[in-house]
């Protein structure tokens, strides 16, 4: 991954757009980010981190103040970063959430967080994602590093540098877990511990279940013994469920339950034999009852059959009459078809004669009733057919005449339309020359409008710029006055502080003799003259001045000097700002410039109106020319169409006149040819109907005569006197079937009744006529049924109890066997879970995740020592230690320093500031290499280090610089933030971050390093 360009606008201390070209430092490989404290050096790195991850490390857990405090409500906030990854160049643009003024109404509204990810293609920048969540997802895929990994691998941020070295075990665990993604091992440990808890719960639950099953089985055994027969299932005193209050072993309780199961099985067998005996008695009673019921039913059937036979014999006369009627109907049925045919023939004659009369009336109505013979009618039919053929041709001509008249009218109307349109166009075209002349005059008058518009725009913009400068000068005037006043106040404060400090010094000098006299001792030499005699020691007047008072006064004087200098600088900056703003305003007042801006805007509005009028007139003239050309072309086209239309009208008139003569001759006395054709059709239809009905009458009469002769011959051969007798004997088919059924059913019923009576008499030859009494047999069956039910209930109850007891015994035995397996499984799982969780028997108190991370930490230490030995001249080496921590704290991720000078290990906290920085730098670089390898071998072409070099002496700084110099091998670019002056001399490639007098910072790069 390589960074190319960064743009910051309204972000942190930067107000205007600031750009950083990282490619400009590619040749040097290492560059210095320098500037005064608070100028915004670290904000450059904040911008990189925010662009990639939407967050800034220094604001973790605090309010995010990403938007510049210098922004006005309408100023934008934007961070744009261009970088390369996976062989493609990407650009990410982000804007944080902030409050802005509402576009309508008062107050503010929240501007949401926005993000845009683009990729560079041959066609330019192409959008890939436009929502923050989508951009974050794509960046995770492209960069391949989380934010924590990025801060440990690429951006070694301020105040986070030595955190990993000096961290405690738990803090180091948290950081390594984030970098290497080992939370799954923690989850595995938790899952295994949860499995241990579940195994323990299952073991306890299984024991409770077995105990519950045995309690229920013992209760059933007690119930069995209480309800068993006297001596058959009574257990001995040694088989009782509990001989005392002490709890018994599960095996003893199982043995007792097994014996109870055996007793229950014996009881079930005994009750089964009792039930079988009761079933046999019940079957015998049922058999006797069935035999008695059968005899009783047969006796009643014999009485009923005797009555039915007597009734059937009483119906014999009526049945004989029905048999005779059925025979006559069958004989008449043979002649039914012939009788029906004679009747249909008579009906057909009547209908044919009626149709002939109707046809004759219609023929007479049209004048064709007196045609005479059939030959005359046929000749008349041929004549009418020929006339109809001629009328059809005339009807077609009549339809063509209508079309011809319509064509004449259409052609005439088109001629008139074309003449009117051409005349209108000719009249309208006469106005075009006058219109063009008027437009040309107006265009000449407006010819200079664009130049006037440009001049008015320039005047308006200049007036507006000067007015803004005048407003700014007015605001800055007040600030200048306040700054001058503050500078005067601070000057007075400084003078008072200097006077007070000078007074204290004078008092101290004046009292120096008294202080020396106070220290004189008789017989001891004076510290000034060396005399051992002190005849007239000085005596102090005022109270003596102490060193503390002088130091405090000097501090107040120094503070007043700093305040005076700051106030003077502020006053000078305010005066410079006001002078610059007044110069931009041209020395004019706000009122004068306001009037000038109003006049400029009025002139601009007039110029804009003239330009709009000019463009409109030019468009109107172009449209007028286009319309004139179009009218000329249309007139020419209409003239040609008019000649063609007049020719078409003349031809249509000639054709219509010819057709009109033919139609007039074909109509004759009728209004239309169709009317004459309909009249001929009605004549021909009447003639044809008359011919057809004559033939139908003759045929119907011949058929009727043949049918009557055949019927008379058939009746003469039967027993019927005449045709009328046959008609009287005829019966419908349903009636005939009814008569046959009466005869057949009667004969069948008498035969069946006689046979049943004979069978019953033979079966009951020794039985009386009175039915047998069934009450004694029913009572016996009821008594036997009650006995069977009682035996079955007792057997079912005993079998249910035995089954329940056997099931409980089996389940208890299976549960008892499973407890041993569960106990063994629980022991294995519990030992493994405790070991992975760092509990006994784990003597190192290392969790599984800590063990995995310890291996990673060892690799980090190996990579870090490659640089630490060089930077410390072979004195220091990092070592991983898994020694137990004090007071039972977590362990396994400890670090210690091996000092080659003493041969002893020492904690990292014992290192000096410079040693801590070197060790942290080596550890951070080693950590970056291992994390990079774990992230899939990502190539890192850009690295940033923020602060820490100021704690190094010159020699150590030189070693650190050589290490950084090695990092740029292979095309890597390293950016360093530092205040160390010697580094500014060693690193000519520099990025300057400067705070302007007005507050916002600006970024500049060494021009010699920028590409030509």
């Amino acid at each position: 991954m390589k960074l190319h360009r960064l743009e910051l606008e309204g972000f942190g201390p930067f107000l205007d757009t600031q750009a950083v070209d990282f490619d400009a430092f590619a040749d040097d490989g290492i560059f210095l980010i320098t500037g005064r404290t608070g100028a915004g050096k670290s904000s450059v790195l904040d911008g990189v981190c925010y662009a990639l991850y939407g967050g800034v490390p220094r604001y973790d857990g605090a309010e995010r103040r990403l938007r510049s405090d210098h922004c006005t409500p309408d100023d934008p906030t934007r961070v744009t970063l261009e970088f390369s990854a996976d062989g493609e160049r990407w650009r990410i643009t982000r804007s944080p959430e902030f409050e802005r003024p509402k576009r309508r109404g008062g107050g503010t509204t929240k501007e949401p967080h926005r993000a845009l990810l683009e990729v560079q293609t041959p066609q330019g920048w192409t959008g890939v994602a436009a929502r923050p969540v989508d951009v974050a997802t794509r960046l995770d895929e492209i960069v391949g590093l989380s934010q924590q990994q990025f801060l440990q691998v690429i951006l070694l941020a301020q105040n986070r540098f030595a955190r990993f070295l000096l961290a405690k075990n738990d803090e180091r665990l948290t950081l390594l877990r984030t970098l290497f993604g080992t939370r799954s091992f923690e989850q595995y440990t938790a899952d295994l511990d949860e499995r241990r808890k579940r195994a323990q719960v299952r073991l306890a639950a299984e024991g409770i279940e077995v105990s519950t099953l045995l309690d229920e089985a013992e209760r059933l055994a007690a119930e069995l013994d209480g309800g068993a027969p006297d001596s058959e299932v009574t257990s001995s005193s040694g088989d009782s469920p509990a001989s005392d209050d002490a709890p018994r072993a599960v095996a003893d309780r199982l043995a007792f339950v097994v014996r109870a199961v055996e007793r229950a099985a014996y009881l079930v067998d005994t009750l089964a034999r009792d039930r079988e005996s009761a079933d046999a008695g019940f079957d015998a009673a049922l058999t006797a009852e069935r035999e008695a019921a059968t005899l009783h039913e047969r006796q009643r059937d014999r009485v009923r059959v005797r009555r039915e036979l007597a009734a059937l014999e009483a119906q014999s006369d009526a049945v004989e009459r029905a048999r005779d009627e059925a025979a006559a109907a069958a004989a008449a049925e043979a002649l039914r078809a012939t009788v029906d045919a004679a009747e249909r023939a008579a009906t057909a004659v009547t209908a044919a004669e009626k149709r002939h009369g109707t046809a004759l009336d219609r023929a007479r109505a049209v004048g064709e009733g007196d045609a005479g013979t059939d030959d005359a009618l046929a000749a008349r039919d041929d004549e009418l057919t020929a006339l109809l053929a001629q009328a059809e041709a005339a009807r077609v001509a009549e339809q063509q005449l209508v079309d011809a008249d319509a064509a004449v009218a259409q052609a005439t109307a088109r001629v008139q339309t074309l003449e009117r349109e051409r005349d209108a166009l000719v009249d309208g075209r006469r106005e075009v020359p006058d219109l063009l002349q008027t437009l040309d005059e107006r265009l000449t008058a407006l010819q200079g409008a664009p130049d006037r518009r440009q001049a008015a725009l320039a005047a308006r913009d200049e007036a507006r710029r000067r007015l803004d400068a005048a407003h700014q000068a007015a605001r800055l005037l007040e600030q200048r006055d306040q700054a001058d006043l503050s500078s005067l106040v601070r000057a007075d404060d400084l003078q008072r502080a200097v006077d007070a400090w000078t007074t204290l010094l004078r008092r101290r000098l004046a009292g120096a003799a008294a202080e020396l006299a106070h220290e004189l001792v008789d017989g001891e030499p004076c510290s000034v003259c060396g005399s051992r005699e002190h005849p007239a020691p000085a005596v102090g007047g005022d109270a003596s001045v102490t060193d503390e008072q002088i130091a405090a006064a000097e501090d107040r004087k120094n503070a007043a000097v700093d305040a005076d200098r700051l106030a003077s600088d502020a006053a000078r900056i305010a005066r410079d700002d006001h002078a610059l703003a007044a110069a931009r305003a041209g020395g004019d007042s706000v009122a004068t410039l306001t009037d000038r801006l109003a006049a400029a805007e009025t002139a601009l509005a007039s110029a804009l109106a003239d330009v709009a009028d000019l463009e409109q007139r030019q468009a109107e003239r172009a449209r007028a020319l286009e319309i004139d050309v179009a009218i000329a072309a249309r007139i020419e086209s209409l003239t040609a169409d008019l000649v063609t239309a007049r020719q078409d009208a003349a031809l249509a008139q000639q054709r219509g006149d010819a057709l009109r003569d033919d139609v007039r001759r074909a109509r004759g006395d009728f209004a239309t040819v169709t009317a004459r054709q309909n009249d001929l059709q009605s004549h021909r239809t009447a003639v044809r109907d008359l011919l057809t009905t004559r033939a139908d009458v003759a045929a119907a009469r011949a058929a009727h005569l043949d049918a009557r002769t055949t019927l008379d011959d058939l009746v003469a051969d039967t027993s019927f006197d005449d045709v009328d007798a046959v008609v009287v004997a005829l019966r419908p088919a349903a009636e005939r079937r009814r008569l046959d059924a009466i005869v057949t059913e009667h004969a069948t019923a008498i035969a069946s009744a006689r046979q049943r009576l004979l069978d019953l008499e033979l079966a009951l030859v020794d039985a009386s006529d009175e039915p047998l009494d069934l009450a004694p047999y029913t009572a016996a069956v009821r008594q036997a049924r009650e006995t069977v039910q009682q035996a079955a209930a007792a057997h079912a109850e005993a079998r249910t109890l035995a089954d329940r007891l056997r099931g409980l015994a089996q389940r208890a035995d299976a549960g008892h066997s499973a407890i041993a397996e569960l106990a063994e499984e629980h022991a294995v799982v519990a030992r493994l879970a405790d070991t992975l969780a760092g509990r006994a028997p784990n003597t190192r108190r290392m969790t599984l995740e800590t063990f995995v991370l310890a291996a990673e930490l060892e690799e980090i230490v190996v990579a870090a020592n490659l640089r630490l030995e060089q930077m410390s001249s072979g004195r220091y080496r990092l070592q991983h230690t898994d020694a137990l921590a004090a007071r039972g704290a977590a362990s396994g991720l400890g670090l210690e320093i091996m000092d080659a000078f003493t041969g002893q290990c020492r904690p990292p906290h014992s290192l000096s500031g410079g040693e801590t920085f070197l060790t942290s730098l080596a550890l951070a670089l080693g950590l970056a290499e291992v994390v990079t390898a774990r992230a899939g071998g990502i190539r890192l072409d850009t690295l940033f280090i923020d602060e820490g070099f100021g704690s190094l002496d010159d020699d150590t700084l030189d070693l650190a610089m050589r290490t950084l110099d090695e990092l740029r091998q292979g095309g890597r670019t390293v950016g360093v933030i530092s205040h160390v002056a010697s580094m500014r001399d060693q690193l000519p490639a520099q990025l300057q971050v400067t705070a302007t007098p007005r507050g916002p910072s600006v970024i500049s790069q060494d021009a010699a390093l920028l590409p030509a």
Side-chain angles (χ1 to χ4, degrees), residues 501 504 507 543-556:
W501 177 65
L504 288 176
R507 289 176 57 194
S544 62
V545 177
T546 64
D547 293 339
E548 290 78 7
Q549 290 176 330
I550 293 176
E554 186 175 7
D555 291 340
R556 288 193 293 272

Side-chain angles (χ1 to χ4, degrees), residues 246-298:
R248 296 179 302 137
V250 175
D252 295 339
R253 297 179 69 186
L254 277 174
F256 170 77
V257 172
V258 169
R259 290 192 295 273
V261 170
E262 294 172 351
R263 295 197 305 273
Y266 177 77
L267 177 61
V268 170
D269 293 341
T270 301
L271 293 177
R273 291 192 295 271
D274 294 343
R275 178 180 177 180
E276 291 174 357
S277 176
D279 287 341
F282 181 62
D283 292 341
L286 284 177
T287 300
E289 184 188 29
R290 283 196 297 272
E291 292 176 352
T294 300
L295 178 60
H296 177 78
E297 189 63 27
R298 287 180 176 178

Side-chain angles (χ1 to χ4, degrees), residues 697-713:
V697 169
R701 287 174 180 172
H704 179 262
L705 180 60
D706 292 342
R708 186 66 184 182
T709 301
T710 301
L711 179 60
D712 291 340
D713 292 343

Side-chain angles (χ1 to χ4, degrees), residues 649-666:
L651 292 175
Q653 185 64 42
Q654 292 176 3
R655 185 170 178 272
D657 293 341
L659 289 173
R660 190 173 289 103
D661 294 340
D662 294 339
V663 171
R664 189 181 300 108
R665 288 192 299 271

